[in-house]
Amino acid sequence: MVTVKLKEIGKNFGEVKIINGVNWEILKGELMVLVGPSGCGKTTLLKIILGVLDPDNGEIYFNQKLMNKVSISERNVGFVPQNFGLFPHLNVNENIGYGLKMRNIPKNKIEMLTNKFIGMLKLEGLGLRATNQLSWGQRQRVALARALAIEPSLLLLDEPLSAVDWASRKEITDEINRMQKRLRITTIYVTHDINEAFEIGDRIAVMHDGKIEQCDRAECLIKTPKSNFIAAYLKNRRVGK
Amino acid sequence: MELFKAFMLTLASFFIVFVIISIFYLFTALSYGTLIIEYLLSQQILLALWVSISSSTIVMLISLLFGVPTAWLLANKDFKNKGLLETLIVDVPHSFPPGVIGTTYLFMFQTTSPIGTLLQNLGISLVNTFWAMILVKTFISAPFLIGILTMRFRSLRETELEVIAKSLGASEFKTFYTITLPLSKNAIVGGSARCWARALGEVAGTIVFAGAIIPGITQTMPAIIVFEAQTSLPASLTLALILATISITILILFKILSERNQ
């Protein structure tokens, strides 16, 4: 469990500025939602934190440790992409245990931990199934179990509901909330849906044109939007929370 | 819409019929039954078959050894002029007439060239040898494997499965070994089959650079077929039938292997 701090992060693709001086702090154990319209730079920022992309400038800290030069495989970040990213040639058990195997954990311990997460995410009886024989909801839970099994310092969820049918959405957001509260893993949840952001996040960071425009609790965003963009963006929200 | 469908269907049918007739016309050589048996018992033909098959298999293995890392590099690393390099490695060899490659190598490795002189000083002479044939065939055939593998590795990169593997703690090597390779089995088998088949059929570059006349060393079946075509068409057709039958059988085995992996 870490505090994540980004200082003046910038990233260009050719001449195009995708991330434009992002300063952002995610607290230990917090469920932070990163929301913004498509193309605002959310996924790029997530990939920088994950370690897939190097920022052109700026610094990334996990607690007080500078992470810019730390490779993706050493960051200990659990990542669940939009399409779940399950390994199609491995069954459910093997998918969940993959990260443990890469850490050279003994076979019997891998089995024990895999069973623990199978139980925690209600996947009992599915361990030997091929991933293409699972429902969308089950696939999402396998991807989450696989990311959690490595006991990550940070969990990144990139639009986790985008490939999920409407019937499974509530079930999955509840599952993510329950897991996050139980394990208290620092989590960044990316979405373009403002309603989803308000339903799930402790705090919400609104991104626009490569910058975090405001990062606050839901009620503060509503009461005191810091820009016209945020005020207009929040109007798309269904009335509720 | 119906007109469009009819148009597409007509052109496709013409092409399919053209290919099928071309393949099956070869089997008219079955009428030379006694000639087939005679050739199958001929030591020269058996040696040529052996040279053809063994050299193509060696070319396939060399192509795999160097082609897999080359395709991985082209698919996964971004660097300046990568497109140009890919065109040079994958596309240009496809468009080069094999005879031109043979001539280039002949020029490159002749005893008066710097490389040829260097090799001669080391006691190595390449021209008119089995390894000259391997060199020509590799240049011509490896791009078939590299092209297919590059496409597969590139499509895998887009799925982000390798990124996920690394985020779970896998090193670059373990990611390649546990994710990239198993998910590229079909491309590897399919690419190897095409590479092998291309190497088997190669003749012009082999004749120019390796001579293709020493039985058991450089004389291949395609070379004999080409030489025979100038004097005896039935003999050439019969030999072509023998080679095609063996080639098709091996390609079917590759196909079965590939389908088993699915």
Side-chain angles (χ1 to χ4, degrees):
Chain A
M1 205 163 52
V2 292
T3 296
V4 179
K5 204 171 203 173
L6 307 185
K7 281 186 182 173
E8 287 300 324
I9 294 290
K11 180 77 187 172
N12 292 3
F13 286 143
E15 297 294 305
V16 188
K17 216 167 229 171
I18 304 292
I19 305 292
N20 187 10
V22 166
N23 291 296
W24 191 26
E25 186 171 0
I26 301 105
L27 303 174
K28 213 172 257 188
E30 178 177 36
L31 173 52
M32 169 72 79
V33 176
L34 178 61
V35 68
S38 295
C40 71
K42 304 181 299 284
T43 299
T44 305
L45 189 61
L46 203 72
K47 285 182 176 174
I48 288 172
I49 298 170
L50 179 63
V52 186
L53 291 174
D54 291 325
D56 293 335
N57 48 279
E59 290 160 353
I60 308 158
Y61 292 93
F62 284 5
N63 291 333
Q64 267 73 49
K65 190 182 174 194
L66 182 66
M67 301 299 284
N68 290 45
K69 299 284 174 206
V70 178
S71 74
I72 173 172
S73 53
E74 288 164 351
R75 289 195 183 191
N76 197 32
V77 174
F79 174 52
V80 180
Q82 290 185 23
N83 59 2
F84 320 127
L86 298 179
F87 304 132
H89 58 305
L90 305 181
N91 66 27
V92 170
N93 277 338
E94 290 163 338
N95 261 280
I96 296 173
Y98 182 85
L100 304 168
K101 197 174 167 189
M102 293 304 112
R103 285 164 164 72
N104 297 321
I105 291 171
K107 243 182 179 180
N108 57 348
K109 200 167 176 203
I110 292 178
E111 209 177 304
M112 193 192 81
L113 284 166
T114 302
N115 286 336
K116 176 183 150 188
F117 282 96
I118 287 227
M120 207 185 272
L121 283 142
K122 300 172 192 157
L123 292 162
E124 290 95 342
L126 301 176
L128 296 176
R129 282 243 187 123
T131 56
N132 62 4
Q133 292 172 342
L134 303 174
S135 71
W136 294 115
Q138 287 166 340
R139 288 179 202 199
Q140 181 63 267
R141 292 209 299 272
V142 174
L144 196 58
R146 184 180 62 182
L148 292 171
I150 59 168
E151 295 185 12
S153 311
L154 172 68
L155 183 62
L156 302 179
L157 307 168
D158 188 10
E159 307 250 10
L161 303 186
S162 64
V164 172
D165 59 89
W166 279 97
S168 308
R169 291 172 83 100
K170 177 86 175 86
E171 174 194 333
I172 288 166
T173 47
D174 286 351
E175 201 65 66
I176 290 170
N177 251 324
R178 190 171 66 83
M179 278 298 120
Q180 206 276 335
K181 297 280 176 285
R182 180 168 168 187
L183 303 169
R184 298 307 300 171
I185 295 171
T186 311
T187 303
I188 302 175
Y189 182 112
V190 171
T191 178
H192 65 273
D193 184 339
I194 188 71
N195 297 303
E196 199 179 311
F198 271 63
E199 277 163 26
I200 201 160
D202 295 333
R203 283 197 303 156
I204 298 162
V206 184
M207 196 167 182
H208 177 52
D209 275 348
K211 278 190 166 177
I212 304 271
E213 293 238 348
Q214 188 172 352
C215 179
D216 239 324
R217 303 196 77 79
E219 53 276 20
C220 298
L221 280 176
I222 298 165
K223 275 185 200 162
T224 52
K226 282 186 182 167
S227 68
N228 290 336
F229 167 78
I230 292 182
Y233 192 60
L234 293 183
K235 275 187 188 162
N236 298 326
R237 188 177 60 92
R238 281 193 306 268
V239 180
K241 182 178 171 182
Chain B
M1 193 61 191
E2 287 307 309
L3 193 68
F4 171 74
K5 265 190 196 169
F7 175 74
M8 299 297 267
L9 206 66
T10 308
L11 288 186
S13 305
F14 268 121
F15 186 72
I16 291 165
V17 169
F18 160 71
V19 172
I20 290 175
I21 287 178
S22 304
I23 293 171
F24 279 91
Y25 205 79
L26 183 63
F27 286 86
T28 55
L30 282 172
S31 57
Y32 306 117
T34 50
L35 209 53
I36 294 174
I37 292 164
E38 189 185 314
Y39 278 139
L40 283 176
L41 295 173
S42 150
Q43 198 192 1
Q44 186 196 7
I45 298 304
L46 290 177
L47 278 174
L49 264 178
W50 165 247
V51 171
S52 297
I53 291 171
S54 63
S55 63
S56 304
T57 306
I58 291 171
V59 166
M60 184 187 78
L61 294 174
I62 292 174
S63 301
L64 274 170
L65 179 68
F66 293 100
V68 171
T70 308
W72 179 84
L73 181 82
L74 291 173
N76 290 295
K77 298 295 162 193
D78 299 315
F79 50 87
K80 214 177 164 188
N81 294 326
K82 188 170 101 167
L84 179 68
L85 184 70
E86 188 169 341
T87 305
L88 276 173
I89 290 173
V90 179
D91 301 326
V92 170
H94 282 320
S95 61
F96 260 39
V100 173
I101 302 302
T103 312
T104 308
Y105 281 149
L106 199 58
F107 188 67
M108 193 196 285
F109 291 100
Q110 65 182 344
T111 47
T112 52
S113 78
I115 298 176
T117 311
L118 180 77
L119 289 177
Q120 201 178 28
N121 289 340
L122 294 169
I124 300 166
S125 174
L126 209 56
V127 181
N128 290 336
T129 64
F130 180 79
W131 294 104
M133 183 170 56
I134 297 291
L135 200 64
V136 174
K137 286 186 172 197
T138 304
F139 180 87
I140 290 160
S141 315
F144 285 83
L145 172 71
I146 296 171
I148 290 172
L149 275 184
T150 305
M151 274 202 297
R152 177 56 189 155
F153 290 167
R154 201 165 274 153
S155 70
L156 258 183
R157 186 184 178 182
E158 281 163 17
T159 63
E160 293 193 323
L161 291 177
E162 292 155 313
V163 164
I164 294 161
K166 287 176 197 164
S167 77
L168 292 165
S171 63
E172 196 96 45
F173 170 72
K174 277 188 174 173
T175 301
F176 183 72
Y177 183 70
T178 59
I179 304 296
T180 314
L181 275 186
L183 291 176
S184 303
K185 265 188 206 162
N186 283 346
I188 292 170
V189 174
S192 301
R194 283 197 193 186
C195 171
W196 183 86
R198 182 65 192 86
L200 186 76
E202 206 298 304
V203 59
T206 307
I207 290 174
V208 174
F209 188 42
I213 49 167
I214 309 167
I217 297 175
T218 59
Q219 192 174 53
T220 59
M221 276 293 274
I224 295 180
I225 291 166
V226 169
F227 292 138
E228 285 293 336
Q230 290 158 33
T231 52
S232 164
L233 207 55
S236 177
L237 194 66
T238 309
L239 291 169
L241 176 68
I242 294 169
L243 185 64
T245 307
I246 291 169
S247 170
I248 291 169
T249 308
I250 292 177
L251 287 177
I252 288 171
L253 289 177
F254 270 114
K255 185 97 182 147
I256 291 169
L257 190 66
S258 165
E259 277 167 8
R260 260 196 199 171
N261 285 328
Q262 278 176 352

